[in-house]
Amino acid sequence: MTVPISDREQQELTRLTDAQAALARAAGIARDGAPKAGEERLLALAYAMLTFGEMLKQASRGVVTQAFSGPIALRDKLAHIPHRKLNPDVLIASTSRAETEILPLIQARIEDLAARRG
């Protein structure tokens, strides 16, 4: 018997799907090579990772899992530093780590919620 998901779970599903899309965008930028300071690609990468962290923060609704703490902390930093202080190496490494360590967790939760939604 399939139990319908709650409104809160539907919001979580939406936020995790948005996080997955933001990480895919960041990964696409990273695959094209590390952006240089001043390039619009660096700003796009920073925004994608900021969005990734924000969506994870909203999906977790105050109960931040250990797995999500890094991207959420990065989001907090990106939201409060000037563009000239963006570090492409940190953003590339964070993107790679998120793809390896966090994306599988997100995908599993999305699949679980989507299956329950029916």
Side-chain angles (χ1 to χ4, degrees):
M1 178 176 167
T2 304
V3 177
I5 64 174
S6 67
D7 288 343
R8 186 196 66 73
E9 289 172 322
Q10 180 58 50
Q11 290 175 356
E12 178 186 3
L13 177 59
T14 300
R15 299 299 181 262
L16 290 175
T17 302
D18 290 345
Q20 186 178 30
L23 183 58
R25 177 69 179 125
I29 294 167
R31 273 191 292 280
D32 289 339
K36 306 279 187 247
E39 286 184 350
E40 286 187 25
R41 289 179 56 244
L42 179 58
L43 295 177
L45 178 59
Y47 184 74
M49 289 305 290
L50 184 144
T51 302
F52 176 65
E54 179 62 23
M55 292 301 99
L56 292 179
K57 185 174 183 176
Q58 288 183 25
S60 62
R61 295 207 148 236
V63 182
V64 177
T65 67
Q66 183 66 26
F68 294 172
S69 63
I72 291 172
L74 179 61
R75 171 249 174 243
D76 293 343
K77 289 177 185 173
L78 290 172
H80 296 99
I81 64 170
H83 295 150
R84 64 183 161 70
K85 290 191 175 185
L86 291 173
N87 185 328
D89 295 331
V90 169
L91 291 170
I92 295 290
S94 296
T95 301
S96 178
R97 188 175 312 114
E99 280 188 296
T100 303
E101 299 173 9
I102 299 168
L103 185 57
L105 301 173
I106 293 170
Q107 290 170 329
R109 182 64 177 155
I110 287 171
E111 288 174 13
D112 178 52
L113 290 169
R116 288 186 43 220
R117 185 176 63 180

mmCIF file of all heavy atoms in Angstrom, residues 6 36 48:
data_model
loop_
_atom_site.group_PDB
_atom_site.id
_atom_site.type_symbol
_atom_site.label_atom_id
_atom_site.label_comp_id
_atom_site.label_asym_id
_atom_site.label_seq_id
_atom_site.Cartn_x
_atom_site.Cartn_y
_atom_site.Cartn_z
ATOM 1 N N SER A 6 3.378 13.754 2.547
ATOM 2 C CA SER A 6 2.810 14.958 3.155
ATOM 3 C C SER A 6 3.237 16.197 2.361
ATOM 4 O O SER A 6 4.130 16.128 1.500
ATOM 5 C CB SER A 6 3.287 15.079 4.599
ATOM 6 O OG SER A 6 4.689 15.320 4.627
ATOM 7 N N LYS A 36 38.532 31.568 -14.004
ATOM 8 C CA LYS A 36 39.511 32.526 -13.486
ATOM 9 C C LYS A 36 38.786 33.665 -12.760
ATOM 10 O O LYS A 36 37.609 33.925 -13.011
ATOM 11 C CB LYS A 36 40.331 33.118 -14.641
ATOM 12 C CG LYS A 36 40.999 32.096 -15.520
ATOM 13 C CD LYS A 36 42.280 31.611 -14.898
ATOM 14 C CE LYS A 36 43.032 30.720 -15.862
ATOM 15 N NZ LYS A 36 43.126 29.364 -15.456
ATOM 16 N N ALA A 48 25.569 28.821 -8.530
ATOM 17 C CA ALA A 48 25.046 27.459 -8.553
ATOM 18 C C ALA A 48 25.306 26.761 -7.224
ATOM 19 O O ALA A 48 24.420 26.080 -6.688
ATOM 20 C CB ALA A 48 25.666 26.672 -9.709
#
